[in-house]
């Protein structure tokens, strides 16, 4: 049985009716479904994140993810000559778990660093922002929109974990060598259908030039469908504009362009998550399910260069966390002296969580892209701890 937010369906139908051709791009449809200010999935209390929810992220497994990220932030602070403040901007902070782990670990282990931190959360979802503020009320954090941060004022690190995959994407289809964009129209207030027509913007063509992909090549099948994330480029431009000196760290699932648009991946990467099951139909459970698409890391790298962001490195999450000390944490669990049943169970659960974070078929296979702006040649030459293990061949 489908689970619809009828108010959201009405809002989408109204938007379609207001358009001259009675249709909207899939990107606008996805934006409304996820981010409509009153009824979107992320605007309501229906967002269900965690082990029993629609999806979970690394911070839900254990505090180790945030603590190991902190090890990287501390080194970044040191490379930049320990500025005060050192601004950490977390974009899309979910339930606030990661922010709490980073700040509490910093306070315990690196008090000088903790005292230097200015922690900012940028969160579009009113429901999640409220949950974050409740969870983190004892910690020194401020919330603001990215637009409220003045240009080139951030000295520190902007970072996100599983944010870019939730930005609205344009969908396209190639049939017999012709590129068309997917639009959404409606049969009635809850039944939405697709139509294909000329691209809504020339930016789609420019995108493929940017990542050097020729989709009209004979290597591609007669019918080929995928996505383009123009919103990710806009987001990157905005973040780069706010950063004066420091780093941008992006953790997400995705591919480099040649793998993203491989001829064999002819249905794209769009996925919907509902009650911890996934499928590929974005026209059911409207407003009650998450919709995501994998990240094209090549696009972030190339567009970043145009925004004065220099690539520092790209690796897998598993390698990144191992380089930051996750292996030592697993080893210390192996030598645990736990004897009673409850303590042994806790050790086993934590070990399982650590292994999940480095599993190459799951979270460990996520991409970690580090870019920088405003660094001197000497600062650029210093290898980040998280990138000290050579990149995986599948990511280069």
């Amino acid at each position: 049985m489908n689970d619809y937010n009828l108010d959201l369906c009405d809002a989408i139908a109204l938007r379609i009716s207001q358009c001259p051709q009675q249709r909207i791009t899939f990107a606008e449809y996805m934006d409304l479904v996820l981010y409509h200010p009153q009824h979107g999935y992320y605007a309501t209390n229906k967002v269900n994140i965690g082990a029993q929810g629609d999806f979970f992220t690394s911070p839900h497994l254990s505090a180790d993810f945030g603590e190991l990220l902190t090890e990287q932030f501390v080194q970044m602070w040191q490379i930049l000559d320990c500025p005060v403040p050192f601004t950490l901007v977390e974009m899309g902070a979910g339930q606030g778990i990661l922010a709490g782990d980073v700040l509490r670990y910093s306070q315990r282990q690196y008090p000088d660093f903790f005292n230097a931190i200015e922690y900012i959360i940028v969160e579009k979802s009113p429901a999640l922002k409220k949950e974050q503020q409740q969870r983190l009320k004892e910690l020194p954090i401020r919330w603001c929109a990215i637009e409220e941060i003045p240009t080139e004022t951030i000295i520190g690190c902007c970072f996100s974990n599983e944010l870019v995959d939730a930005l609205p994407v344009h969908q396209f289809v190639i049939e017999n060598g012709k590129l068309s964009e997917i639009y959404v129209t409606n049969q009635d207030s809850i039944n939405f259908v697709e139509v294909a027509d000329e691209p809504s913007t020339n930016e789609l063509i420019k995108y493929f030039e940017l990542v050097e992909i020729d989709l009209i090549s004979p290597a591609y099948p007669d019918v080929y469908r995928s996505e383009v994330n123009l919103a990710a480029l806009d987001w990157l431009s905005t973040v780069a504009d706010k950063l004066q000196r420091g780093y941008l760290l992006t953790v997400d699932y995705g591919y480099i362009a040649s793998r993203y648009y491989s001829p064999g991946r002819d249905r794209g990467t769009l996925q919907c998550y509902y009650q911890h099951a996934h499928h590929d139909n974005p026209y059911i459970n409207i407003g009650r399910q998450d919709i995501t698409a994998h990240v094209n890391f090549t696009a972030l790298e190339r567009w970043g260069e145009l925004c004065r962001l220099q690539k520092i490195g790209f690796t897998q999450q598993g390698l990144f966390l191992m380089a930051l000390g996750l292996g030592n944490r697993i080893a210390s669990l192996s030598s645990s002296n736990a004897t009673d049943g409850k303590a042994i169970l806790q050790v086993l659960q934590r070990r399982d969580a650590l292994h999940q974070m480095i599993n190459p078929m799951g979270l460990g296979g996520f991409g970690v892209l580090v870019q920088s702006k405003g660094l001197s040649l000497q600062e650029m030459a210093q290898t980040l701890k998280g990138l000290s293990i050579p990149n995986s061949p599948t990511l280069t």
Side-chain angles (χ1 to χ4, degrees), residues 375-391:
L375 270 60
S376 69
L377 291 176
Q378 185 178 2
E379 290 165 342
M380 286 280 292
Q382 297 189 55
T383 301
L384 294 181
K385 289 180 183 177
L387 300 174
S388 59
I389 296 177
N391 285 354

Side-chain angles (χ1 to χ4, degrees), residues 161-162 251-254 297 315-318 362-368 395:
N161 178 49
E162 294 193 59
V251 183
D252 223 315
Y253 48 89
F297 282 102
T315 188
Q316 288 179 314
Q317 175 175 301
L363 294 168
F366 281 23
V368 179
L395 295 173

Side-chain angles (χ1 to χ4, degrees), residues 61-98:
L61 293 173
S62 77
D64 294 272
F65 182 78
E67 292 175 2
L68 292 167
L69 273 188
T70 303
E71 296 288 342
Q72 185 58 84
F73 294 148
V74 170
Q75 188 204 13
M76 290 172 171
W77 177 59
Q78 293 167 341
I79 289 173
L80 297 179
D81 199 23
C82 303
V84 179
F86 180 84
T87 305
L88 286 173
V89 182
E90 183 179 0
M91 297 162 289
Q95 294 168 314
I97 295 171
L98 179 56

Side-chain angles (χ1 to χ4, degrees), residues 63-290:
D64 294 272
F65 182 78
E67 292 175 2
L68 292 167
L69 273 188
T70 303
E71 296 288 342
Q72 185 58 84
F73 294 148
V74 170
Q75 188 204 13
M76 290 172 171
W77 177 59
Q78 293 167 341
I79 289 173
L80 297 179
D81 199 23
C82 303
V84 179
F86 180 84
T87 305
L88 286 173
V89 182
E90 183 179 0
M91 297 162 289
Q95 294 168 314
I97 295 171
L98 179 56
D101 293 339
V102 167
L103 286 171
R104 293 187 185 102
Y105 183 72
S106 299
Q107 191 171 27
R108 289 196 314 268
Q109 299 294 327
Y110 300 101
D112 289 345
F113 174 64
F114 175 79
N115 291 330
I117 294 173
E118 176 192 29
Y119 204 107
I120 298 173
I121 288 179
V122 173
E123 180 58 65
K124 285 184 66 173
S125 163
L128 288 175
K129 181 179 177 181
K130 183 177 179 180
E131 184 173 353
Q132 293 160 13
Q133 290 175 330
Q134 181 64 30
R135 173 174 273 115
L136 303 168
K137 57 187 176 184
E138 305 301 327
L139 293 168
I141 298 174
R142 70 180 175 97
W143 283 258
C144 70
I146 192 75
E147 294 79 16
E148 295 171 353
I149 300 174
T151 296
E152 293 203 335
T153 56
I154 295 170
I155 297 175
C157 181
C158 302
F159 69 102
S160 64
N161 178 49
E162 294 193 59
L163 167 72
V164 181
D165 65 83
L167 297 178
V169 295
H170 292 261
Q171 286 200 305
F172 68 88
V173 61
I174 294 176
E175 293 188 80
N176 301 316
K178 184 177 186 297
L179 174 70
S180 301
E181 183 169 1
I182 300 295
Y183 296 84
V184 178
T185 187
N186 60 319
Q187 296 175 322
D188 52 48
S189 60
I190 65 170
N191 289 303
F192 298 93
V193 295
E194 297 180 346
V195 293
D197 204 345
E198 296 291 324
S200 62
T201 171
N202 198 44
E203 296 303 312
L204 295 179
I205 307 299
K206 293 180 181 178
Y207 185 91
F208 293 112
E209 293 172 356
L210 177 75
V211 298
E212 297 181 330
I213 294 292
D214 178 14
L215 291 169
I216 312 302
S217 160
Y220 285 89
D222 291 340
V223 179
Y224 184 88
R225 178 176 174 135
S226 193
E227 317 87 26
V228 166
N229 195 337
L230 296 179
L233 306 188
D234 293 338
W235 165 81
L236 197 64
S237 297
T238 302
V239 176
D241 179 62
K242 307 304 178 184
L243 187 62
Q244 179 193 131
R245 207 165 83 85
Y247 300 89
L248 172 61
L249 189 154
T250 306
V251 183
D252 223 315
Y253 48 89
Y255 308 109
I256 58 171
S258 59
R259 292 188 64 202
Y260 197 115
Y261 297 115
S262 69
R265 189 170 282 110
D266 60 355
R267 297 297 300 169
T269 71
L270 193 87
Q271 287 285 299
C272 305
Y273 292 87
Y274 179 70
Q275 297 180 355
H276 219 60
H278 63 87
H279 60 88
D280 61 1
N281 186 352
Y283 305 110
I284 62 174
N285 306 320
I286 296 172
R288 311 295 194 204
Q289 67 182 5
D290 195 20

